[in-house]
Amino acid sequence: AAGTTTLPFIQNILSKLPESGKEKGKIAVDQWLRLNFDKEHHAFGDVYALGDCAHIIGTSLPQTAQVASQAGAYLARYFNRRYDTKSTPPIIHTQSYLSPFEKIWITGFRQATEAPKFSFLNLGILAYLGAGQALARVQLGNIPLRNADGKEAFAIWRSVYLAKQVSTRSRILVLLDWFKTRLFGRDITRL
C-alpha cells in the first residue's frame, strides 16, 4: 500500500529496474501481472507486482483496494493452476500438478489452456464519512445498480465491510466492537 507516496522498498526496486520495467513511477507489469522487461533484462525470473506499486501497461485502473484484492485473487488462481510463466500467454503444463478432475475441468470444460489476462470488474465505490453517514455507488462493471448516501449507504458500507472479513471469528469480533461502541461510546482512553 503506497498511499500518497512510494514506499522506500518499491523505490529501491524501481532504481534497479531497466526503463522497460517502469511506467508512471510504478513497476510496469503485463496483462498477467508479470514484471515487464525486454528480452535483455529478463533475469529476475518469475516476478509479479500488484496493487499501488504496479501499473498494468495499456490500462488505467484506479489505485484502490478493490483492484489489489481482485489482482491478488487472480494471482492465487494463476499460481494454483501452475501455468508455464515463461510463455506469452502463459499456458498450462501438460505435466502439471493438477489433479485429474482439475485437468478435465480447466482444459476440457472451460477450455482454458491459456491463462486469461487480468481484468478488473468495478463493483463501485464506498466512502465512510463518519457519524453513521456514508456514500455508496454500487455497480457491476459499467452498469450502475444503486447510488445512495446517508444511513442507507452506511448500511451498505457496513455489510460490505463485514462480508470482506476473512473469517467468521473476525466478523463476530467486528460486530461485537460495533455493538460495544454503540452501547458505551467510542473508547478514547490512552494508556
Side-chain angles (χ1 to χ4, degrees):
T4 57
T5 185
T6 306
L7 294 172
F9 174 72
I10 301 302
Q11 288 174 342
N12 187 26
I13 290 174
L14 284 169
S15 70
K16 294 176 174 31
L17 292 177
E19 284 306 310
S20 64
K22 305 173 195 176
E23 188 159 321
K24 299 182 179 180
K26 299 180 184 305
I27 299 171
V29 296
D30 65 10
Q31 295 294 317
W32 297 275
L33 306 179
R34 303 177 296 189
L35 266 65
N36 188 53
F37 297 115
D38 52 30
K39 299 272 187 217
E40 165 186 338
H41 293 98
H42 202 7
F44 287 101
D46 296 328
V47 181
Y48 298 81
L50 67 141
D52 292 351
C53 70
H55 176 78
I56 301 172
I57 296 170
T59 65
S60 179
L61 298 177
Q63 297 295 306
T64 63
Q66 187 180 160
V67 175
S69 175
Q70 288 181 26
Y74 168 83
L75 280 179
R77 286 189 305 277
Y78 181 93
F79 294 145
N80 283 336
R81 293 178 183 161
R82 295 180 174 90
Y83 285 102
D84 175 9
T85 58
K86 302 292 185 228
S87 64
T88 299
I91 57 171
I92 291 181
H93 282 294
T94 53
Q95 293 86 19
S96 73
Y97 299 97
L98 296 174
S99 71
F101 173 75
E102 289 172 317
K103 281 184 184 175
I104 292 169
W105 175 255
I106 293 171
T107 60
F109 290 119
R110 296 192 60 220
Q111 298 184 353
T113 54
E114 294 181 356
K117 296 176 180 178
F118 171 71
S119 63
F120 170 62
L121 177 63
N122 190 349
L123 299 174
I125 299 170
L126 298 172
Y128 175 62
L129 302 175
Q133 302 288 311
L135 298 173
R137 176 190 290 157
V138 181
Q139 62 190 62
L140 189 58
N142 293 327
I143 303 167
L145 300 176
R146 182 88 176 126
N147 288 332
D149 60 3
K151 299 282 184 201
E152 179 188 357
F154 183 63
I156 294 169
W157 182 87
R158 280 212 163 165
S159 64
V160 169
Y161 189 87
L162 274 179
K164 289 293 183 181
Q165 298 302 310
V166 295
S167 68
T168 303
R169 179 181 182 270
S170 294
R171 287 184 189 103
I172 290 169
L173 289 173
V174 168
L175 279 170
L176 288 173
D177 187 53
W178 287 345
F179 179 72
K180 182 180 70 171
T181 302
R182 181 82 172 162
L183 195 60
F184 300 112
R186 190 155 307 278
D187 184 9
I188 58 171
T189 59
R190 295 198 178 182
L191 300 176

